[in-house]
Amino acid sequence: RFVLAVGSAVFDAMFNGGMATTSTEIELPDVEPAAFLALLKFLYSDEVQIGPETVMTTLYTAKKYAVPALEAHCVEFLKKRGGADNAFMLLTQQARLFDEPQLASLCLENIDKNTSDAINAEGFTDIDLDTLVAVLERDTLGIREVRLFNAVVRWSEAECQRQQLQVIPENKRKVLGKALSLIRFPLMTIEEFAAGPAQSGILTDREVVSLFLHFTVNPKPRVEFIDRPRCCLRGKECSISRFQQVESRWGYSGTSDRIRFSVNKRIFVVGFGLYGSIHGPTDYQVNIQIIHTDSNTVLGQNDTGFSCDGSSNTFRVMFKEPVEILPNVNYTACATLKGPDSHYGTKGLRKVIHESPTTGAKTCFTFCYAAGNNNGTSVEDGQIPEIIFYT
């Protein structure tokens, strides 16, 4: 009694408080014997005796009986052992149930960095709906959306069985609830969407039609699903501008505006800033690409659209996934616009340096003329005024 009372505020209250028990026997109904033995050993000798099988129950016991030092040892053990294969199991079992925010955020970071491994691990289909929603809401998952959809379908099948429902598309949709709206179908290619989600039976006919229209027509109709890219990049978004002045007018006839560039360090390009119409609010159809200049390989592209307000501002057009740019390699930025005459930039810079406000690290862009059909865009003037990137 003395050792327990000294080491635990809960036992102290139980033995010595105003409502102290007089019983010689105390039942602890929801504590595992092995976990309680670990708690006793720790209180007597400061010896930490936990393993993969007992750490969760010991953490629960340490929290319940207010032994913060043992709790900290359990959390530390889990941090070291927390891999992608058990991140979902950890997140469900304790980070949410035991209110360990530090551990929860560690699990989520692990899932961001190793999304593919985490969703293929056994524990993924056992998570609860709230955990699934918390993960699908993240902008930082590193996985193609169609693979995420396939994993969510697997989860819905397991959930149907847990709820003793027939595994049919209607029930899969029912058990997914709000999780379905968090799948970012617009980030898929039309081929991925047609081969998988469109034929799954989980989406309604109306949703399928509106998504096919979103992929194929311009201006794009509104869809009920998020089209914001997921970006598994840490840090802050940066952008550079290569022009010092804006003029009008720049015309389009189906030819790509192109500019070559290289960078002094590894970065990830996530989009371009483009100029919009000189004739007031307008919708443009646009295809953006980044091409590896020497091999002519397309590294990233997006067929999309953007709305402008008639001002001389730039308007963001994003890739579906970040494009890795390696130091001192030539790349070509391309934008093929369909729409009315737009603003354009002049007094272009051959070198543009971005300095990080926090670390002072410098990223240096060098621009060159892209030979061939470039719609007139050059280092000195034209389209593609901004590159949006992460370092």
Side-chain angles (χ1 to χ4, degrees):
R1 282 166 70 113
F2 175 71
V3 171
L4 286 172
V6 167
S8 156
V10 175
F11 281 117
D12 185 35
M14 200 185 286
F15 297 137
N16 306 317
M19 307 284 284
T21 179
T22 52
S23 173
T24 52
E25 235 178 55
I26 296 169
E27 254 187 67
L28 307 175
D30 57 348
V31 171
E32 292 274 331
F36 193 66
L37 185 60
L39 178 87
L40 281 176
K41 276 197 170 155
F42 180 73
L43 293 180
Y44 270 87
S45 63
D46 266 356
E47 187 186 325
V48 180
Q49 199 167 46
I50 45 178
E53 302 78 29
T54 58
V55 63
M56 301 305 296
T57 50
T58 306
L59 176 61
Y60 172 79
T61 308
K63 275 188 104 65
K64 182 176 171 109
Y65 293 106
V67 185
L70 180 58
E71 196 183 314
H73 280 294
C74 292
V75 170
E76 204 50 45
F77 180 89
L78 286 168
K79 276 188 186 174
K80 285 182 182 146
R81 294 296 182 97
D85 51 344
N86 63 0
F88 277 113
M89 182 272 290
L90 277 182
L91 191 59
T92 303
Q93 282 194 4
Q94 57 40 246
R96 295 173 73 83
L97 297 179
F98 298 168
D99 185 29
E100 280 288 353
Q102 193 188 7
L103 210 47
S105 74
L106 199 83
C107 291
L108 289 167
E109 271 180 39
N110 213 321
I111 290 162
D112 284 346
K113 285 182 199 153
N114 308 288
T115 312
S116 194
D117 291 343
I119 66 168
N120 287 324
E122 274 179 43
F124 172 71
T125 52
D126 300 330
I127 63 178
D128 59 27
L129 182 61
D130 285 346
T131 305
L132 181 66
V133 165
V135 170
L136 293 179
E137 282 174 339
R138 292 177 77 72
D139 285 339
T140 40
L141 299 177
I143 191 168
R144 289 194 68 79
E145 206 68 19
V146 71
R147 293 191 57 204
L148 196 58
F149 171 77
N150 293 337
V152 167
V153 171
R154 270 193 2 257
W155 180 90
S156 71
E157 289 164 355
E159 183 64 14
C160 283
Q161 288 168 342
R162 280 192 286 273
Q163 294 189 26
Q164 297 181 327
L165 296 168
Q166 201 180 343
V167 182
I168 55 173
E170 292 81 355
N171 287 339
K172 291 183 200 174
R173 183 184 176 101
K174 181 180 163 190
V175 299
L176 280 169
K178 63 181 175 180
L180 184 63
S181 67
L182 300 173
I183 300 286
R184 302 183 187 186
F185 295 102
L187 300 186
M188 297 178 187
T189 65
I190 188 168
E191 293 81 10
E192 287 170 340
F193 179 72
Q199 297 183 50
S200 67
I202 292 175
L203 294 171
T204 64
D205 290 348
R206 192 173 64 81
E207 288 165 342
V208 170
V209 169
S210 81
L211 281 160
F212 271 125
L213 288 174
H214 176 82
F215 288 125
T216 52
V217 305
N218 277 292
K220 297 194 177 299
R222 287 193 70 77
V223 287
E224 293 162 28
F225 299 97
I226 303 163
D227 61 359
R228 186 174 65 250
R230 294 191 197 269
C231 178
C232 52
L233 302 175
R234 293 280 170 275
K236 201 168 168 52
E237 184 183 284
C238 314
S239 69
I240 52 111
S241 291
R242 63 190 194 92
F243 296 121
Q244 300 175 82
Q245 197 171 313
V246 184
E247 298 286 349
S248 58
R249 78 186 31 216
W250 199 258
Y252 302 99
S253 57
T255 308
S256 298
D257 285 274
R258 292 166 176 255
I259 189 73
R260 264 174 54 190
F261 71 96
S262 62
V263 187
N264 68 330
K265 61 196 282 191
R266 178 176 179 246
I267 62 166
F268 291 89
V269 170
V270 292
F272 300 148
L274 300 177
Y275 290 122
S277 173
I278 55 174
H279 302 297
T282 313
D283 288 330
Y284 280 87
Q285 189 177 337
V286 61
N287 171 278
I288 56 169
Q289 293 186 333
I290 288 183
I291 297 168
H292 183 276
T293 309
D294 296 341
S295 66
N296 209 30
T297 310
V298 176
L299 303 176
Q301 71 162 337
N302 195 7
D303 247 322
T304 180
F306 69 96
S307 299
C308 64
D309 57 10
S311 71
S312 60
N313 295 334
T314 55
F315 299 90
R316 291 159 65 89
V317 181
M318 308 302 276
F319 289 101
K320 292 189 175 185
E321 292 180 325
V323 182
E324 183 181 25
I325 302 295
L326 298 173
N328 310 315
V329 175
N330 284 322
Y331 298 90
T332 307
C334 306
T336 314
L337 283 86
K338 282 185 190 168
D341 290 356
S342 75
H343 293 90
Y344 72 96
T346 63
K347 297 191 178 174
L349 301 164
R350 190 165 291 277
K351 268 200 166 59
V352 181
I353 294 173
H354 177 276
E355 188 172 335
S356 163
T358 47
T359 64
K362 291 181 178 176
T363 309
C364 178
F365 285 76
T366 305
F367 292 97
C368 302
Y369 182 74
N373 291 334
N374 54 29
N375 199 40
T377 283
S378 66
V379 175
E380 289 74 32
D381 47 31
Q383 242 310 357
I384 318 181
E386 286 181 356
I387 294 181
I388 305 164
F389 66 99
Y390 282 73
T391 51

